[in-house]
Amino acid sequence: KSGSPAAKTRTRTQADKGFTRVRVFYATDRQRGGDTPNEFYTDQRRFDETAPPLDLGCCEVSVPYKHDPGEIERPSVWRMEFRENPAKHVVLMNVQPVPGSRWQAEVRDEVSASEDKAALVFVHGFNVDFASAARRTAQMKYDLDFHGAAILYSWPAPSNYIECEGNAIWTLPHLMEFLTEYVQTSGAVKIHLVAHSLGTRVLTTALRELASSPAAAAARYNQIILAAPDIDAAVFKEQIAPRIVNVADRISIYSSSQDWALVASKKAHRYRRLGE
């Protein structure tokens, strides 16, 4: 849908000066960190074996009225900006974990309130912290004027590529559980999946495993978007695409010849990446 000022003023309140609050639901298997929103989750795996593998919750992100589509405005020392300002920057304002039953109810409410009964799930890629992923999810929801539930799936993605690849394997059963137990039961008629970089490997592997499992309920997605996918091109063509091509109305691949992470990944793996 095309954005309109009238539509985007719905989440503005008189207490908010110069910005709009965007609500983002999330699921993560990251370890809890500090008390501030930007440090609430770390880049480490969740290691409490007595707790469920996923933390569920919601957060609010500010988007300034003078926002440029596609951008995530952040403080800049070149502009003498040393603190986040919601009227100028995209800011993660709060993070609130909630019980699974409440999470499901609130997601269903937001889905049912949208005209298309839609949900959008974003899976980030390599070297992305929780706060950055939440800001990106909010930016997409805002710029697309998306009225359904915007959901972030955030996995521990540190700057060490080898460790990150290991975490991409470790998080796989958690993402599969999340898609089947939470996303598919959200009441959404249209479910869009968006993944970036190494996150595309996590997502497509999960979809391949679910499509191959006789125990998994058949699922149908609307759009699957793979942005700069860090996947072996031959593996995708021969092993992944044939299994997942029928689970969505459309699968789109966005390539980038100047993505430094893909260049580094090709050097590390030798073989061509799907996102080149």
Side-chain angles (χ1 to χ4, degrees):
K1 296 182 180 180
S2 59
S4 65
K8 291 177 179 176
T9 55
R10 281 185 252 169
T11 53
R12 298 177 182 177
T13 70
Q14 294 194 358
D16 299 332
K17 302 295 184 180
F19 65 93
T20 300
R21 291 174 182 260
V22 179
R23 190 185 196 191
V24 171
F25 297 94
Y26 72 82
T28 185
D29 51 10
R30 292 174 181 261
Q31 178 62 25
R32 291 266 188 103
D35 295 329
T36 64
N38 286 338
E39 298 175 346
F40 202 87
Y41 290 103
T42 72
D43 63 359
Q44 300 298 307
R45 299 176 181 180
R46 184 174 173 133
F47 53 74
D48 186 354
E49 296 181 356
T50 63
L54 290 172
D55 245 11
L56 301 170
C58 56
C59 52
E60 285 187 316
V61 178
S62 69
V63 177
Y65 292 170
K66 295 182 179 180
H67 164 71
D68 291 326
E71 298 297 321
I72 296 183
E73 291 83 1
R74 301 296 297 150
S76 170
V77 294
W78 301 108
R79 295 192 298 267
M80 302 299 289
E81 297 172 341
F82 303 104
R83 292 184 180 180
E84 294 179 318
N85 181 347
K88 295 181 179 180
H89 310 127
V90 178
V91 179
L92 177 58
M93 303 187 72
N94 58 66
V95 180
Q96 180 61 58
V98 298
S101 57
R102 176 180 162 186
W103 190 95
Q104 289 180 304
E106 293 186 5
V107 169
R108 288 195 194 102
D109 288 345
E110 192 142 337
V111 165
S112 63
S114 66
E115 182 179 350
D116 294 338
K117 303 294 186 290
L120 182 150
V121 179
F122 175 55
V123 183
H124 62 77
F126 162 68
N127 192 22
V128 177
D129 59 49
F130 179 87
S132 297
R135 291 192 291 263
R136 177 62 71 186
T137 309
Q139 173 261 317
M140 287 193 292
K141 176 178 172 68
Y142 184 89
D143 287 348
L144 293 171
D145 198 17
F146 185 77
H147 291 274
I151 306 169
L152 164 67
Y153 182 85
S154 184
W155 54 287
S159 58
N160 182 306
Y161 189 83
I162 301 300
E163 181 182 354
C164 203
E165 275 199 316
N167 287 347
I169 298 171
W170 175 81
T171 195
L172 184 60
H174 306 155
L175 177 57
M176 292 170 62
E177 177 186 350
F178 177 65
L179 291 174
T180 55
E181 300 296 326
Y182 293 96
V183 176
Q184 292 177 16
T185 61
S186 64
V189 175
K190 291 184 177 181
I191 301 173
H192 310 292
L193 305 178
V194 181
H196 175 244
S197 181
L198 193 55
T200 63
R201 200 187 309 175
V202 178
L203 177 63
T204 56
T205 305
L207 294 175
R208 180 187 65 181
E209 294 300 311
L210 289 172
S212 304
S213 172
R220 184 75 182 181
Y221 300 100
N222 187 249
Q223 304 277 348
I224 297 178
I225 297 174
L226 309 177
D230 183 4
I231 307 172
D232 185 302
V235 171
F236 182 82
K237 179 180 179 180
E238 298 168 11
Q239 301 177 24
I240 297 177
R243 301 282 183 87
I244 71 170
V245 69
N246 293 320
V247 304
D249 296 333
R250 175 175 293 179
I251 299 176
S252 302
I253 299 170
Y254 288 87
S255 61
S256 173
S257 60
Q258 299 182 19
D259 188 304
W260 68 268
L262 287 181
V263 173
S265 180
K266 183 178 180 180
K267 289 182 178 180
H269 295 96
R270 183 178 178 182
Y271 296 105
R272 183 175 178 84
R273 316 316 288 168
L274 181 64
E276 290 183 65

